[in-house]
């Protein structure tokens, strides 16, 4: 028994490898003269950028006080501005005494999203279904008013709340609509296919700004006089349709990657079109294009800032307006940094989640 | 699960069928009758239309002229009929075509649950019984990508059997397998034949044809050149083209 290991010769460690931190440094940072040069250059760039940034943002920054005078003489960031306008950045011009309604919507939304997205919580169908079907109604009533709550007009909505309303609506609408458009475009029926192609190509050929402009300025011209629906609603429809067209193309890419044999096998078993697509093709296709879908969501989230063009003030619009206020002249940098930080957090969260999701779906089986 | 009112006629009847791909005449005047319980091997050089012919039987390919009658039902473009025929006709593919996102057990249960509306526990019991029949019940919880080619093809056979079909079509079931795995798949097919399943099998396995088939059909250039019992087919083929083909594949 004990001769087994030795009869094949000793097991040697790989030659020429230095272990420990020094080995790591040599393997990863200084493996060639050129890499060493790059490493030194990067360290230098970090040295000239990071310490001043920390000085500005944290060490020399001011948070105290209630107006600009508090920051006079300080060389760092004036976070007093962000502190004093924080409410506006988050809620826009939403009446202060009604802000609890927004908080409730935020809280319910976050809970549902966490429940639907985190792998450990059971009942995905319920939480996901509630988020897609029940939550919008709840949010609509709570945010807009009615059923005994005072009405808050959408022109008062703004800040991060508006950003999230627009982004969530467009996300929730664009995924199913995108799937339908992608299936329609892959259809063999000429009219269905033609309609999908025309819609997708027209929408993709037009910039988002134009879609918003059309929705807000041109559309009312075609509506009968007296019929005028909400500006925010028009923007939501415009952005959702816009996002759907892009989503459709991402998903179509996934549909095309599924081998023909998968569809044939499903058909041969007697599954009809709906079940073939729903049980066999889409689960595989969507998994393949998760990076593309999240990419669309992230770019959609950032595109929501364009609603400023039609006079809706999302987070960025709110920051911009606040910093042009004479009280706070010269504070725009702090405002933009804050907006960038918030947008960055949301986008990072989406991207990390998609990576985790990809890894989770990949475990257990590989594609042939 | 007794088959509902088996008709008295032949299992499959193909009468004067033609098929074109664009201008290319792939199948020319195909006439073939398969009796119930009959086992037919279709062979021929590549591109001779043998796969296309059996794919017409469950409408994965559409024929343009002639008649195909499966178990007394004529194939038309009526979707209800097509689905009805597909339910009774199982198919096994060269590339297995298992669903990679589902486990072996889910692959097997899918059609019984969604097409036959069978309760899940019953479908799973049925699936396990067929997995035992193809001798891989221990792989039920794995994904297809974790199995060898031979195991995947046996799962594919079991998946087709779960629909309790009256006819099984095999489209080159061993052509994508490594040589050492061919036997395990052929063994399953032989045992299926011994149970009296009606089988139509496109294959190059001449040993299988010799021992299992009632008739061997030889196709070339979209036509059925010869159809005969294996003894006659291998020992005294009537056509020159068959002789040539046999001399090429039997070294």
């Amino acid at each position: 028994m004990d001769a087994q290991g030795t009869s094949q010769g000793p097991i040697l460690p790989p030659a020429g490898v230095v272990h420990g931190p020094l080995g790591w440094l040599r393997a990863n940072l200084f493996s060639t003269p050129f890499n060493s040069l790059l490493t030194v250059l990067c360290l230098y760039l970090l040295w000239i950028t990071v310490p001043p940034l920390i000085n500005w943002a944290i060490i020399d920054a001011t948070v105290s006080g209630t107006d600009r005078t508090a920051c006079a003489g300080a060389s760092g960031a004036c976070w007093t501005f962000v502190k004093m306008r924080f409410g506006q950045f988050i809620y826009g011009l939403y009446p202060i005494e009604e802000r609890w309604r927004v908080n409730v919507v935020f809280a319910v939304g976050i809970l549902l999203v966490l429940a639907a997205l985190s792998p450990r919580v059971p009942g995905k169908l319920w939480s996901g279904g509630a988020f897609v079907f029940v939550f919008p109604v709840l949010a609509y009533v709570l945010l807009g008013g009615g059923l005994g709550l005072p009405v808050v007009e959408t022109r008062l909505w703004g800040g991060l709340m508006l950003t999230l309303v627009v982004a969530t609506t467009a996300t929730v609408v664009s995924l199913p609509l995108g799937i339908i458009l992608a299936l329609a475009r892959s259809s063999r029926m000429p009219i269905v296919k033609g309609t999908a192609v025309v819609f997708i190509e027209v929408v993709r050929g037009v910039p988002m700004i134009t879609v918003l402009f059309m929705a807000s300025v041109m559309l009312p011209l075609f509506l009968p006089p007296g019929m005028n629906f909400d500006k925010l609603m028009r923007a939501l429809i415009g952005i959702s349709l816009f996002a759907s067209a892009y989503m459709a193309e991402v998903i179509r890419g996934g549909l095309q990657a599924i081998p023909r044999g998968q569809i044939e096998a499903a058909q041969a078993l007697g599954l009809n079109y709906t079940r073939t697509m729903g049980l066999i093709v889409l689960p595989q296709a969507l998994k393949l294009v998760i990076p593309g879908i999240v990419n669309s969501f992230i770019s959609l989230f950032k595109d929501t800032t364009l609603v400023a063009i039609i006079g809706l003030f999302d987070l960025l619009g709110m920051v911009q307006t606040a910093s042009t206020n004479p009280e706070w002249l010269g504070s725009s940098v702090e405002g933009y940094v804050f907006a960038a930080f918030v947008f960055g957090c949301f986008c990072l969260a989406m991207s990390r989640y998609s990576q985790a999701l990809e890894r989770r779906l990949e475990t257990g089986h590989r594609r042939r | 699960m007794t088959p509902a009112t088996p008709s008295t006629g032949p299992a499959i009847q193909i009468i004067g069928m033609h098929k074109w791909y664009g201008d290319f005449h792939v199948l020319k005047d195909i006439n073939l009758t398969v009796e119930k319980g009959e086992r037919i091997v279709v062979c021929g050089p590549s591109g001779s239309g043998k796969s296309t012919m059996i794919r017409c039987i469950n409408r994965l390919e559409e024929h343009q002229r002639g008649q195909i009658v499966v178990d007394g039902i004529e194939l038309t473009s009526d979707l209800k009929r097509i689905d009805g025929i597909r339910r009774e006709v199982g198919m096994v593919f060269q590339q297995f075509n298992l669903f990679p996102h589902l486990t072996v057990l889910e692959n097997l249960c899918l059609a019984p649950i969604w097409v036959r509306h069978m309760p899940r526990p019953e479908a799973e019991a049925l699936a396990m019984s067929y997995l035992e029949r193809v001798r891989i019940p221990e792989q039920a919880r794995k994904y297809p990508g974790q199995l060898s080619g031979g195991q995947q093809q046996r799962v594919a056979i079991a998946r087709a059997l779960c629909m309790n079909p009256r006819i099984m079509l095999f489209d080159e079931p061993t052509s994508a397998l490594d040589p050492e795995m061919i036997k395990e798949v052929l063994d399953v097919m032989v045992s299926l034949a011994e149970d009296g399943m009606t089988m139509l099998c496109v294959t190059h396995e001449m040993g299988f044809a010799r021992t299992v088939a009632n008739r061997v059909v030889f196709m070339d250039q979209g036509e059925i050149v010869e159809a005969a019992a294996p003894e006659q087919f291998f020992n005294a083929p009537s056509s020159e083209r068959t002789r040539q083909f046999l001399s090429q594949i039997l070294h």
Side-chain angles (χ1 to χ4, degrees):
Chain A
M1 283 299 274
D2 54 358
Q4 260 186 355
T6 52
S7 68
Q8 292 164 349
I11 295 163
L12 296 173
V17 175
V18 186
H19 291 281
L22 212 64
W24 186 89
L25 277 180
R26 192 179 294 165
N28 293 291
L29 298 179
F30 299 100
S31 53
T32 65
F34 182 65
N35 281 359
S36 307
L37 186 71
L38 284 181
T39 302
V40 172
L41 199 68
C42 289
L43 285 176
Y44 174 71
L45 282 176
L46 287 176
W47 174 247
I48 59 168
T49 51
V50 174
L53 187 68
I54 292 176
N55 276 341
W56 177 82
I58 298 169
I59 297 173
D60 296 336
T62 317
V63 206
S64 59
T66 53
D67 60 17
R68 197 157 54 135
T69 53
C71 301
S75 59
C78 183
W79 295 124
T80 316
F81 167 60
V82 174
K83 182 182 79 176
M84 296 311 295
R85 292 302 176 108
F86 190 75
Q88 273 188 21
F89 291 169
I90 303 297
Y91 303 99
L93 302 176
Y94 211 84
I96 293 173
E97 63 276 16
E98 303 292 336
R99 280 181 184 173
W100 64 269
R101 287 153 56 176
V102 182
N103 292 339
V104 170
V105 171
F106 276 170
V108 173
I110 288 169
L111 276 180
L112 283 177
V113 167
L114 285 181
L117 296 189
S118 60
R120 268 172 249 131
V121 184
K124 295 268 159 296
L125 215 58
W126 290 105
S127 47
F131 184 74
V132 173
F133 297 109
V134 184
F135 179 65
V137 179
L138 177 88
Y140 183 78
V141 172
L142 267 176
L143 295 178
L147 299 179
L149 290 167
V151 171
V152 179
E153 281 181 64
T154 55
R155 63 182 174 83
L156 298 176
W157 299 17
L160 183 63
M161 166 211 161
L162 183 72
T163 302
L164 290 177
V165 165
V166 175
T168 312
T169 311
T171 304
V172 168
V173 173
S174 71
L175 193 57
L177 203 58
I179 290 174
I180 292 170
L181 281 169
L183 290 175
R185 191 168 183 172
S186 326
S187 161
R188 264 184 297 176
M189 290 178 274
I191 294 177
V192 174
K193 187 190 171 93
T195 313
V197 169
V198 168
F199 175 83
I200 291 170
E201 293 306 335
V202 166
V203 174
R204 281 205 309 168
V206 172
M208 172 93 135
I209 291 186
T210 315
V211 172
L212 284 172
F213 208 67
M214 291 273 280
S216 114
V217 182
M218 300 279 283
L219 192 64
L221 298 179
F222 298 111
L223 292 175
M227 181 182 164
N228 191 14
F229 63 104
D230 196 89
K231 186 158 75 175
L232 177 63
M233 188 61 88
R234 278 179 276 155
L236 284 178
I237 294 172
I239 294 174
S240 297
L241 293 180
F242 187 82
S244 305
Y246 279 87
M247 193 57 70
E249 286 301 281
V250 171
I251 292 167
R252 193 166 65 98
L255 293 178
Q256 281 174 342
I258 303 304
R260 176 94 198 124
Q262 291 287 309
I263 299 172
E264 287 178 353
Q267 287 176 338
L269 286 169
L271 293 167
N272 60 21
Y273 176 84
T274 323
R275 284 173 187 155
T276 302
M277 288 299 152
L279 297 168
I280 305 302
V281 177
L282 279 175
Q284 296 184 59
L286 291 178
K287 192 188 89 184
L288 278 179
V289 294
I290 289 172
I293 291 176
V294 175
N295 196 26
S296 294
F297 283 165
I298 288 177
S299 98
L300 169 68
F301 188 76
K302 292 182 295 180
D303 279 348
T304 55
T305 50
L306 289 174
V307 293
I309 214 86
I310 53 168
L312 294 168
F313 293 97
D314 74 316
L315 174 59
L316 188 66
M318 225 57 223
V319 166
Q320 233 160 354
T321 319
S323 59
T324 52
N325 186 313
E327 263 182 70
W328 290 102
L329 276 182
S331 304
S332 54
V333 174
E334 285 83 350
Y336 285 133
V337 168
F338 173 73
F341 178 74
V342 174
F343 274 97
C345 286
F346 276 97
C347 295
L348 186 69
M350 284 192 258
S351 129
R352 301 302 303 181
Y353 179 73
S354 87
Q355 284 171 20
L357 186 67
E358 263 177 83
R359 249 172 294 152
R360 183 148 54 86
L361 292 178
E362 206 45 58
T363 54
H365 69 291
R366 57 193 158 79
R367 286 184 60 78
R368 215 181 34 241
Chain B
M1 293 298 302
T2 47
T5 60
S7 65
T8 47
I12 303 168
Q13 220 177 349
I14 302 176
I15 305 156
M17 175 179 68
H18 290 259
K19 176 169 177 60
W20 288 264
Y21 282 132
D23 285 337
F24 179 55
H25 202 167
V26 237
L27 293 177
K28 302 167 190 161
D29 193 28
I30 301 289
N31 290 286
L32 182 68
T33 302
V34 183
E35 297 299 335
K36 290 210 170 72
E38 207 180 6
R39 303 177 294 276
I40 292 191
V41 163
V42 183
C43 62
S46 69
S48 58
K50 45 196 196 307
S51 286
T52 311
M53 180 185 76
I54 73 162
R55 286 160 58 89
C56 283
I57 294 169
N58 66 351
R59 197 62 165 207
L60 291 182
E61 304 279 353
E62 197 177 336
H63 62 284
Q64 276 98 31
R65 203 197 289 172
Q67 266 186 314
I68 300 176
V69 183
V70 181
D71 216 21
I73 307 168
E74 193 192 339
L75 253 183
T76 60
S77 51
D78 177 24
L79 286 176
K80 279 244 166 60
R81 275 191 197 198
I82 294 173
D83 281 342
I85 286 172
R86 282 175 178 165
R87 247 170 270 166
E88 306 305 329
V89 179
M91 186 159 197
V92 175
F93 299 86
Q94 182 178 0
Q95 298 297 338
F96 327 137
N97 293 343
L98 294 177
F99 306 129
H101 62 302
L102 302 176
T103 63
V104 166
L105 194 64
E106 288 166 340
N107 263 279
L108 266 64
C109 291
L110 190 83
I113 289 174
W114 291 95
V115 180
R116 295 250 191 253
H117 306 289
M118 195 183 276
R120 183 173 288 275
E122 200 180 315
E124 284 185 357
L126 179 77
M128 284 312 294
S129 75
Y130 279 114
L131 278 181
E132 264 153 41
R133 163 134 204 208
V134 299
R135 293 190 300 281
I136 36 174
E138 71 284 357
Q139 313 287 355
R141 306 280 163 190
K142 287 193 183 166
Y143 286 93
Q146 297 168 298
L147 306 186
S148 74
Q151 290 172 327
Q152 290 194 42
Q153 193 61 299
R154 284 187 280 156
V155 171
I157 294 173
R159 179 176 69 178
L161 291 177
C162 277
M163 282 298 281
N164 203 8
R166 289 183 215 158
I167 300 162
M168 285 285 285
L169 307 175
F170 293 84
D171 187 3
E172 305 205 25
T174 55
S175 300
L177 295 175
D178 293 334
E180 76 269 22
M181 293 170 182
I182 290 178
K183 187 173 177 300
E184 63 187 57
V185 171
L186 287 181
D187 284 349
V188 169
M189 290 167 63
V190 169
S191 91
L192 205 56
E194 283 164 356
D195 287 1
M197 175 66 79
T198 310
M199 292 165 70
L200 196 55
C201 182
V202 174
T203 184
H204 297 294
E205 294 296 326
M206 289 304 129
F208 176 80
R210 241 185 242 276
T211 52
V212 175
N214 300 111
R215 260 193 301 162
V216 182
V217 171
F218 174 66
M219 287 183 72
D220 190 22
Q221 295 176 355
E223 293 171 309
I224 292 182
V225 177
E226 188 161 352
E231 268 155 65
Q232 197 199 336
F233 181 83
F234 289 108
N235 301 330
S238 60
S239 117
E240 182 52 37
R241 277 196 277 178
T242 316
R243 232 163 294 160
Q244 219 169 15
F245 174 75
L246 285 174
S247 74
Q248 275 162 359
I249 59 162
L250 304 170
H251 30 263

